[in-house]
Structure formats: C-alpha cells, structure tokens
Amino acid sequence: MYRISEVAVAFAKIDGLPDDKVPQLDKLLRNTTQRHYLSPSARDGRADLYSIETVCALRFAARMDAFGIARHVLEDFLRFVQSAPMHSTRVKRRNGYNVTLSRIEEAVERARAGEDFKMGLALGRDGRARPKAWFLAETMDDDARAILASVEPEEDADTVLALDAGRLIRDIVAVLKVR
C-alpha cells in the first residue's frame, strides 16, 4: 500500500522531474483521487493508502490528463479499468470463491509477466469516446469466439488514444519495488 506522497516521488522519478516539481505533482494526484473513482484501499492514521492497481490507474489518469481529456471521459475510463469485464478467463480465488479480475488487476498481472498491451480510448463514428483494453487474445475455441462476437460487436474507431499500459505498469512496479 502506498501514500500519495510516495506515489508522487515515484512518478517524478519515472518522468525525470526535478525535486521542486514533486509538491505540484503531489497536489495534482491528490486532486485526481478526490475527483475520480480512485478509492483508497486502507488508511494509516489520516493518510489514505492505495493498492498497486489503484496506483497504476492513477498513473493512467495522470498521463491522459496531460492530453486534456474531458473529466467525464476520464471518469468513464477509470471506472472501466477498475471494473471486471463481462467475459473473462482471468479469475482469482478469494474467500473460497472464484472472482473475476478487474481490468487493472489483469493488466498488472499481464505486465508482471512481461506482456505488452495498450489501454485507452477509441473514438467511434458516433463521436463517443469508449474505454478499451487491447490485451493479447486468450486462447479459446470457435464456439466461445462466436459467442463473444455476437455479444460484443467490434466497432470501427476513427481515433485512438492508446497508453502503453504494459510499460507504464512495469515502470511503476520497478520504481516502487513491488514484488
């Protein structure tokens, strides 16, 4: 679990920012956690503590914010990455039950395994920005592929904002020395 102050120092180190810019980055990250769906996992006294998955989602938010993404679009993206997909093959055993991993949990798992992938927004022909995760396809049989095709039709995107999510996560994991 990480405090925002630790996260700000880590992000500054990754981005090569001087020490005098860390307080400004710290304030930006605190504001982002208050404006968007990035809830803390625990508390230590008065300080909020964030999981590595939430820290990674915060990194995505900070990178997207640099492009001036509208607040409601960024909120949709953050909810998307922190939610579980309808059809997933990735589960984790919790309290005796199999629970589907959220996209950010899956992303951290894939990044730690060295996989490269993108996450971001696709602007459709209708002008709506939709959050997307471009993971490598899991192996599945033809019947499963047909079911997915009928449930989640792929829409052509005119414009894409894609974060190099695998690399961004590996950078964070390395700087924060996450096991």
Side-chain angles (χ1 to χ4, degrees):
M1 299 289 181
Y2 304 93
R3 289 179 165 82
I4 290 294
S5 57
E6 296 168 317
V7 172
V9 170
F11 287 6
K13 183 175 180 179
I14 292 168
D15 294 338
L17 295 176
D19 290 343
D20 64 332
K21 297 290 184 188
V22 173
Q24 183 180 349
L25 180 59
D26 184 285
K27 184 176 181 179
L28 173 78
L29 296 176
R30 288 178 195 283
N31 288 339
T32 302
T33 61
Q34 291 170 1
R35 278 190 209 112
H36 298 289
Y37 182 70
L38 292 163
S39 58
S41 299
R43 291 186 67 82
D44 182 21
R46 291 180 38 195
D48 290 331
L49 301 176
Y50 296 89
S51 68
I52 188 63
E53 291 83 8
T54 305
V55 169
C56 291
L58 182 58
R59 179 68 169 160
F60 295 168
R63 300 310 288 168
M64 292 178 88
D65 192 52
F67 278 92
I69 301 298
R71 189 171 169 177
H72 72 280
V73 174
L74 185 55
E75 179 70 20
D76 287 348
F77 175 76
L78 290 171
R79 286 186 182 276
F80 170 81
V81 299
Q82 295 183 95
S83 65
M86 274 183 13
H87 307 287
S88 177
T89 58
R90 304 254 175 155
V91 294
K92 190 175 262 187
R93 194 96 173 136
R94 291 187 186 141
N95 299 327
Y97 297 97
N98 284 336
V99 178
T100 303
L101 294 180
S102 68
R103 288 177 184 89
I104 196 67
E105 289 171 325
E106 181 176 349
V108 170
E109 188 177 275
R110 286 175 180 261
R112 284 181 170 163
E115 189 176 314
D116 289 319
F117 56 91
K118 310 274 188 217
M119 295 180 91
L121 299 168
L123 185 66
R125 292 181 183 189
D126 61 358
R128 286 187 51 216
R130 290 179 178 79
K132 296 283 185 183
W134 294 278
F135 295 128
L136 294 176
E138 301 279 359
T139 56
M140 65 178 81
D141 60 26
D142 290 336
D143 290 338
R145 201 175 341 287
I147 291 169
L148 279 178
S150 69
V151 175
E152 297 175 359
E154 191 62 34
E155 182 182 314
D156 290 335
D158 293 327
T159 308
V160 172
L161 170 63
L163 299 169
D164 189 354
R167 183 186 53 80
L168 289 171
I169 292 170
R170 283 189 297 276
D171 288 349
I172 293 166
V173 167
V175 170
L176 291 176
K177 296 173 181 48
V178 177
R179 286 173 234 105

